[in-house]
Amino acid sequence: MHAGHDLGSFEEATRQFIEARPKLFGIAYRVLGSSVEAEDVLQEAWLRWQKADHADIREPAAFLATVTTRLAINTAQSARVRREAYVGPWLPEPVDTSADPQMGAERAEAVEMAVLLLLERLNPVERAAYVLREAFDYPYRQVASILETSEGNARQLVSRARKHLATERREQVSRSEHQRLLEVFLMAAQSGDLRTLEQVLAADVVSYADGGGIRGASRIPVVGRPHVSKYLAAFAPRFWPGAQVRWVEANDRPAVLVHSDGKAVALLSIDASAQGIDRLMWVMSPDKLASYAASSSG
């Protein structure tokens, strides 16, 4: 179907962009792990869409997805340099998915905090290939076209990403078990219950605290059940007294938003398998928290 003269009007071009926007944001966010950077990409995509010769564009949605993906890859390449200089562990910027778990995608794939964290270790093109295929169900032919590569190479890119995730991440527990583990952990962390912490954490658990350089956030990951348990028990008397806890959803999983003196101070997410909690992810960066707190429901 040819879009033709219908897209010649600004109003029609705007409608097409708004219609595609949830998918475009979903692609950019998954590639970048940042809603702020994803919004910047969408702004640039909108500017390019305004300048495009719409009469020559047969599939507006495909054109916009291509532009957005390539802009996101370029942004990810420059972001990698910035993140190498980031103070302390970098975690993805959380998003509230309570209204839209898929975030414009065919399925809620590549949106969990732990998956985004692991995807960050791939190069941006591998990341984009995985996102387009696994979350948005693009055929390999279209993935190849968007990434300007061969269909065979597109398959290899997705395969490498899948193997990376399979190697780095165990099979996840059910949503109900995920929440149960987080509830047990939260009670033990608040009270400094060392024994319960050791029971609920996996032997090789890693605790990441993304504070963006703020005081009080560990600047290196804490690794292993004994170290993490003792760290959390020592941390409890300084962090939890006077804190208010609210259950929320972040990146399609139950999470805990912690407030102190009326201000969000941490978002706690976990990654959990049959072995227990594999990853603790504490987002404490004020900028990331402000964005999430402003958008989260309740």
Side-chain angles (χ1 to χ4, degrees):
M1 184 179 73
H2 196 291
H5 65 275
D6 289 338
L7 277 177
S9 70
F10 178 78
E11 293 79 7
E12 180 64 10
T14 302
R15 186 193 68 77
Q16 293 278 7
F17 187 85
I18 291 172
E19 186 177 287
R21 195 182 193 285
K23 176 178 282 190
L24 304 181
F25 180 84
I27 292 171
Y29 173 74
R30 285 169 169 86
V31 173
L32 294 165
S34 166
S35 60
V36 171
E37 291 175 348
E39 290 290 356
D40 288 343
V41 163
L42 261 62
Q43 180 64 28
E44 180 61 27
W46 165 242
L47 293 175
R48 295 194 183 193
W49 176 237
Q50 286 179 293
K51 296 174 183 176
D53 185 351
H54 298 138
D56 291 335
I57 298 172
R58 294 183 176 274
E59 297 181 34
F63 174 88
L64 287 166
T66 299
V67 169
T68 298
T69 301
R70 292 177 184 174
L71 287 170
I73 289 171
N74 291 340
T75 301
Q77 288 167 340
S78 60
R80 172 167 285 188
V81 176
R82 294 195 305 274
R83 288 169 190 171
E84 286 174 357
Y86 196 78
V87 179
W90 177 91
L91 289 174
E93 182 183 346
V95 290
D96 177 16
T97 50
S98 57
D100 179 15
Q102 282 78 24
M103 280 204 343
E106 294 295 319
R107 45 186 180 264
E109 209 45 57
V111 76
E112 293 175 46
M113 291 283 284
V115 173
L116 292 173
L117 178 62
L118 292 174
L119 288 178
E120 180 72 13
R121 299 174 190 171
L122 299 173
N123 72 56
V125 176
E126 289 172 331
R127 210 180 309 163
Y130 180 84
V131 165
L132 292 171
R133 178 63 183 170
E134 297 301 304
F136 293 87
D137 202 28
Y138 280 101
Y140 282 108
R141 173 186 53 77
Q142 194 169 359
V143 174
S145 175
I146 291 172
L147 300 180
E148 298 180 291
T149 188
S150 67
E151 186 172 333
N153 192 47
R155 289 179 181 275
Q156 289 181 348
L157 291 168
V158 175
S159 177
R160 283 202 294 268
R162 284 176 179 158
K163 287 177 183 176
H164 172 71
L165 289 174
T167 301
E168 295 292 327
R169 194 175 187 228
R170 300 182 178 110
E171 184 176 348
Q172 297 301 285
V173 296
S174 67
R175 189 180 183 89
S176 59
E177 177 64 4
H178 181 108
Q179 175 140 352
R180 186 194 72 81
L181 286 168
L182 182 52
E183 288 172 350
V184 173
F185 170 81
L186 182 62
M187 288 188 291
Q190 288 175 310
S191 63
D193 183 345
L194 194 60
R195 182 177 178 184
T196 301
L197 287 171
E198 290 175 342
Q199 290 174 344
V200 79
L201 298 175
D204 55 355
V205 62
V206 183
S207 178
Y208 302 91
D210 178 346
I214 68 165
R215 185 178 178 185
S218 175
R219 297 194 176 190
I220 59 170
V222 184
V223 182
R225 182 189 290 146
H227 293 104
V228 173
S229 298
K230 289 174 184 175
Y231 171 77
L232 292 168
F235 187 59
R238 301 196 304 273
F239 183 72
W240 294 108
Q244 298 85 46
V245 168
R246 177 159 68 90
W247 284 90
V248 294
E249 180 175 295
N251 297 65
D252 197 39
R253 287 291 181 269
V256 172
L257 187 61
V258 184
H259 284 81
S260 182
D261 297 325
K263 185 170 101 175
V265 294
L267 179 80
L268 169 62
S269 299
I270 66 169
D271 200 35
S273 67
Q275 280 68 39
I277 295 174
D278 298 311
R279 292 176 182 83
L280 293 161
M281 293 162 285
W282 305 82
V283 176
M284 304 174 79
S285 163
D287 291 340
K288 293 180 181 180
L289 283 176
S291 176
Y292 178 84
S295 64
S296 67
S297 59

